[in-house]
Amino acid sequence: MIYGRDQQTLIPSWPALDALLVSLGPFYACAWCALERSISVSAPVAADPAIAQQLLLFLKAAGVLAEGESSNGATRRSLYDPISWSYKDGAGLSGNLSALLTQALSAWRPLLDSNDQEWLWRQLSDREAGAYLGALLRRHRIGVRNVEELLRFEEDDWNELSLGRKRYVLWSSVRGAASEFLSTGGDEAATLAVLGREIRRRTHWLSLKQASGSLGNAEYCFLPDRSWRRPLMVDVALECLLPIGDEYWLAPPVLGSK
């Protein structure tokens, strides 16, 4: 299975584009393509802003990023995120890099087995769920520092839900937690404890209903509003590596058993 790097890894100077993509792995390769698309499309690169920053660290470690402003005036800037970057002269990464990355990723797809695709799907889904929970908590002025811990539990019930149903669970759970936040005068520790219990309780309840076969795909499923700007990384992944369409929202991220 091919996974994105968790640590910076130096590779030979001025690597071929394909070699650099393999070094990054599918997840951060999609992030790179999304970053290049962000030059002309006003949408976030990824659900989690830290992904783009981590990608830039990887590219810097690979020796292809220029320090500071580009010496040849070819500084790139994202239209939506506060990100700018430039490539070193001679890195061989000029021209329509977005199109080249899209082509390379599409050619990579037949080489990924179902487990690789499932892993990528789950990574994207987890980041989306975390970003949605963070947005809900900020709306109620509840601290978001423990979001990752709240969603880190490995329970079969949670993993069996689609991203749309996870969003429903989070929305309904935050409503209960917000009541606790108000009644305790803003006690975040108590609020997050209630939130964790609500997430587990509602997840189990919805999992049982789902297992009964009585639910349609879109029931208890919260899809984004039409005005929502979908992260470009999701666009790239669905276009190039994950031929799943609306199942990204309506099905659990499971391909290995299909």
Side-chain angles (χ1 to χ4, degrees):
M1 294 170 65
I2 306 172
Y3 297 98
R5 300 288 188 182
D6 291 325
Q7 300 177 356
Q8 298 177 34
T9 303
L10 291 174
I11 56 179
S13 298
W14 322 131
L17 184 59
D18 286 347
L20 186 50
L21 286 176
V22 170
S23 175
L24 290 173
F27 185 79
Y28 281 103
C30 286
W32 190 13
C33 187
L35 184 68
E36 287 296 319
R37 290 189 184 189
S38 74
I39 298 170
S40 57
V41 181
S42 183
V45 172
D48 181 357
I51 293 174
Q53 297 301 328
Q54 186 65 66
L55 168 68
L56 291 177
L57 288 176
F58 290 157
L59 294 177
K60 182 179 179 181
V64 297
L65 289 188
E67 297 291 341
E69 295 291 317
S70 173
S71 60
N72 60 11
T75 298
R76 290 160 149 84
R77 290 183 172 83
S78 172
L79 294 179
Y80 186 90
D81 295 310
I83 306 171
S84 63
W85 68 101
S86 56
Y87 300 108
K88 286 183 177 179
D89 293 337
L93 299 176
S94 59
N96 192 347
L97 185 54
S98 175
L100 290 175
L101 288 168
T102 298
Q103 181 179 2
L105 284 168
S106 297
W108 198 357
R109 189 172 102 187
L111 303 179
L112 299 181
D113 63 24
S114 60
N115 290 322
D116 293 321
Q117 292 177 315
E118 180 182 321
W119 180 86
L120 176 60
W121 185 357
R122 191 173 298 281
Q123 291 295 312
L124 292 170
S125 176
D126 287 348
R127 303 302 176 101
E128 291 280 356
Y132 182 62
L133 176 56
L136 291 172
L137 293 175
R138 284 190 292 271
R139 189 178 303 168
H140 292 282
R141 301 182 184 277
I142 302 172
V144 298
R145 63 185 179 278
N146 293 319
V147 166
E148 292 184 1
E149 286 76 9
L150 285 168
L151 298 182
R152 191 169 288 164
F153 60 90
E154 292 294 334
E155 296 186 2
D156 291 340
D157 288 347
W158 177 256
N159 292 332
E160 290 172 357
L161 297 182
S162 67
L163 177 55
R165 286 192 173 139
K166 288 176 180 177
R167 285 166 57 94
Y168 166 79
V169 166
L170 295 175
W171 173 83
S172 58
S173 298
V174 167
R175 291 181 67 192
S179 297
E180 178 73 12
F181 187 69
L182 292 174
S183 66
T184 59
D187 187 331
E188 288 191 357
T191 298
L192 294 177
V194 169
L195 178 58
R197 289 197 300 269
E198 286 293 294
I199 291 174
R200 288 188 291 273
R201 182 178 68 83
R202 294 172 188 272
T203 295
H204 183 63
W205 170 78
L206 190 52
S207 179
L208 290 176
K209 289 186 69 70
Q210 181 174 277
S212 71
S214 61
L215 293 180
N217 284 348
E219 290 187 76
Y220 295 101
C221 187
F222 273 17
L223 303 180
D225 186 84
R226 290 185 178 182
S227 62
W228 177 70
R229 300 191 193 202
R230 186 164 72 176
L232 295 171
M233 191 173 172
V234 176
D235 286 339
V236 171
L238 296 183
E239 176 185 337
C240 300
L241 296 179
L242 286 175
I244 56 176
D246 289 342
E247 285 193 354
Y248 176 73
W249 300 102
L250 300 174
V254 177
L255 287 171
S257 60
K258 294 184 179 181

